[in-house]
Amino acid sequence: MSEVTFEVCLEGIDDVYAAKAGGAQRVELCAALVEGGITPSHATIAAAARVDIDVMVMIRPRSGDFDYTARELEVMEADVCYCRSVGVAGVVFGILDPQGQVAGPQVQRLVEAAGPLSITFHRAFDVCRDPFAALDRLRDLGVHRVLTSGQAATVPQGLELIRRLVAAAGDGIGILPGCGITPENVAEVLTYTGAREFHATAFSPLDSRMVHRNAEVYMGVPGLPEYQRQLTTSERVENFLRAVKVG
C-alpha cells in the first residue's frame, strides 16, 4: 500500500512521545476523550509542540453538542490563536447551527484565526444534516480535511458513505476516517474507501502505581476504573503501521 498517514488520537504528553516512537506521522491532542475530547491545557499544547511530530489540537470548550454561544466562540478563537503562537501543525474543531448545517460565519472566524495552520473539521460532521452539502461548504471555507465515521457509529458501519465522500472530495479537501479503526480492519478500510489517511487510538491499559486505594470513591464516571487508564504505546502504533504495510 502506498504512503498512508496515521493520525493517533491521544490525550497526554507521554502519549505524544509514544506515538512518535511508534512511527506515527501525526497526532490529535485532546483532553477528556471519555467526553469525546475537549481542548487540552496550554501547558500540554506547548509541550507537545516541542515534539518532532505534527500535532493537531482539539478546539472544543465543552462536551455536548456543537452549537456554541458567543462567549464559547471567543474562547475557541483564543485557543486557536494560542496554538498558532506555539507552532503546532494545526487545529481541530466543528461548529454546527441548530438546523444541523455547518455554521459558516463561526467556522470562517476560526479559519481566519488559524491562518497558516492545518484545519480539520471533526466528527460534528457526522451529525450534520447533509454530508455532501457540508463537505462543499467546508471546502469553500478553507478547511483542509474532515474527520468522519461516515455518519455511523463506527467507520466499518459507515464505509459506503466514506467511499462516496472520498470520491466527492477529490483533491479539494481530505477525508480522514476515524472511530472504530483497528489494526485488524485498517487495510480493508483504506482499500475500500480510497482514503489516504486514518485516525485511531493506540491505547493499552495501564494499571496505577498507587498502593493505597479507596474503592468507595469515584473521581470520574461511576463504573469506570479509577486505578487504570488508557495510555498510547509505541507497540500499538507499530501494529497499525504493520497492518497498513501488509495491506
Side-chain angles (χ1 to χ4, degrees), residues 26-83:
R26 192 169 72 220
V27 301
E28 181 194 75
L29 179 64
C30 307
L33 283 174
V34 70
E35 298 282 353
I38 60 174
T39 306
S41 73
H42 282 191
T44 301
I45 296 169
R50 294 191 288 270
V51 184
D52 185 20
I53 191 171
D54 285 347
V55 177
M56 304 291 294
V57 179
M58 172 66 77
I59 306 297
R60 188 178 178 217
R62 57 163 171 81
S63 61
D65 64 27
F66 307 107
D67 175 32
Y68 297 109
T69 67
R71 293 188 186 93
E72 289 174 328
L73 189 63
E74 288 180 3
V75 170
M76 296 171 77
E77 183 178 26
D79 281 334
V80 169
C81 291
Y82 177 78
C83 289

Side-chain angles (χ1 to χ4, degrees), residues 54-137:
D54 285 347
V55 177
M56 304 291 294
V57 179
M58 172 66 77
I59 306 297
R60 188 178 178 217
R62 57 163 171 81
S63 61
D65 64 27
F66 307 107
D67 175 32
Y68 297 109
T69 67
R71 293 188 186 93
E72 289 174 328
L73 189 63
E74 288 180 3
V75 170
M76 296 171 77
E77 183 178 26
D79 281 334
V80 169
C81 291
Y82 177 78
C83 289
R84 183 174 174 178
S85 74
V86 298
V88 297
V91 290
V92 182
F93 58 80
I95 311 174
L96 302 176
D97 66 22
Q99 287 71 47
Q101 298 169 335
V102 172
Q106 294 92 327
V107 170
Q108 183 177 26
R109 178 173 168 180
L110 296 192
V111 168
E112 291 173 354
L117 298 184
S118 182
I119 299 168
T120 299
F121 193 91
H122 60 47
R123 289 185 64 226
F125 183 86
D126 286 326
V127 293
C128 74
R129 183 182 296 273
D130 182 335
F132 293 99
L135 188 68
D136 288 343
R137 185 74 173 111

